[in-house]
Amino acid sequence: MVSEHSDAADDTSALALKILVAGGFGVGKTTLVGAVSEIRPLRTEELLSEAGQLVDDTDGVDQKVTTTVAMDFGRITIRSGLSLYLFGTPGQDRFWFLWDELAQGALGAVVLADTRRLEDCFPAVDYFEHRRIPFVVAVNCFAGARAYGAHDVSRALDLDRGTPVVLCDARDRDSGKEVLIRLVEYAGRMHTARLLDSVG
């Protein structure tokens, strides 16, 4: 039999962390959130319209027929007492006004990258670097895309030394979970180092 006191202790020890999933248009943000989420993910996808073709660059993602217009949301429990709330950002420039709201209170971010359109993740990298939000770059390994190593991607994106780059398959739950674990570990180290600097 479990006492009410121990239930209350369990509730207070539970930790929920906010994580952003960002990157260019069609890179797999919605797919990643959906693959790892243990709840039915909230999606705000709409069909691509003819009007949108004038402003959305669909080169390399010709098969894409929908786009996220607000955010994706999912939840995953990493271990007992530690849950991550995932917020997938919209990829197009015209929805960037939502990013500041979504970024408030975030522990860190995953920047998804597609090596066929690597330049599409520069804005997300710049965004998080400028705001000092810890992030990892997760290279979504699409079938048929030329394979590049983590070091090559890091150099091409001119990342700060130590910023993790991991290869993943956004469709695979275990692969996505590994990316999130790497982010939590890295963000934890960054936040601890900043705290020590501030009191040193």
Side-chain angles (χ1 to χ4, degrees):
M1 182 171 163
V2 180
S3 71
E4 289 181 19
H5 176 73
S6 63
D7 281 349
D10 288 345
D11 288 345
T12 57
S13 65
L15 184 62
L17 303 173
K18 181 179 184 180
I19 302 294
L20 297 188
V21 180
F25 179 60
V27 77
K29 299 179 296 294
T30 299
T31 301
L32 177 67
V33 172
V36 300
S37 181
E38 63 201 16
I39 61 170
R40 183 178 177 187
L42 167 69
R43 293 186 170 135
T44 58
E45 288 200 305
E46 295 292 338
L47 289 172
L48 289 172
S49 65
E50 286 185 30
Q53 289 176 356
L54 302 174
V55 289
D56 295 331
D57 178 11
T58 57
D59 285 346
V61 286
D62 305 0
Q63 305 301 315
K64 188 167 174 61
V65 295
T66 61
T67 185
T68 298
V69 295
M71 67 173 185
D72 299 309
F73 174 77
R75 185 189 74 212
I76 179 173
T77 301
I78 295 295
R79 59 171 170 74
S80 178
L82 176 60
S83 296
L84 304 182
Y85 290 96
L86 308 175
F87 293 81
T89 65
Q92 304 99 305
D93 296 351
R94 60 196 165 111
F95 296 122
W96 269 60
F97 65 93
L98 294 168
W99 281 48
D100 288 339
E101 287 289 327
L102 291 174
Q104 285 188 15
L107 172 80
V110 173
V111 175
L112 269 179
D114 178 352
T115 57
R116 301 169 301 179
R117 298 163 47 117
L118 200 56
E119 67 279 1
D120 287 2
C121 70
F122 274 113
V125 168
D126 290 343
Y127 182 91
F128 297 121
E129 282 183 346
H130 181 69
R131 287 159 182 80
R132 300 185 72 220
I133 297 173
F135 68 95
V136 300
V137 173
V139 179
N140 192 6
C141 300
F142 286 91
R146 183 175 165 192
Y148 291 91
H151 180 70
D152 294 328
V153 173
S154 179
R155 205 167 51 190
L157 293 175
D158 193 26
L159 297 176
D160 290 341
R161 188 172 174 203
T163 302
V165 176
V166 293
L167 307 181
C168 74
D169 180 345
R171 302 166 300 180
D172 182 77
R173 187 175 199 275
D174 289 338
S175 181
K177 188 173 180 179
E178 279 303 311
V179 170
L180 296 171
I181 290 170
R182 284 286 300 274
L183 171 62
V184 170
E185 292 172 347
Y186 175 64
R189 290 195 304 271
M190 293 291 289
H191 287 295
T192 300
R194 288 173 188 169
L195 186 62
L196 291 174
D197 283 347
S198 70
V199 298

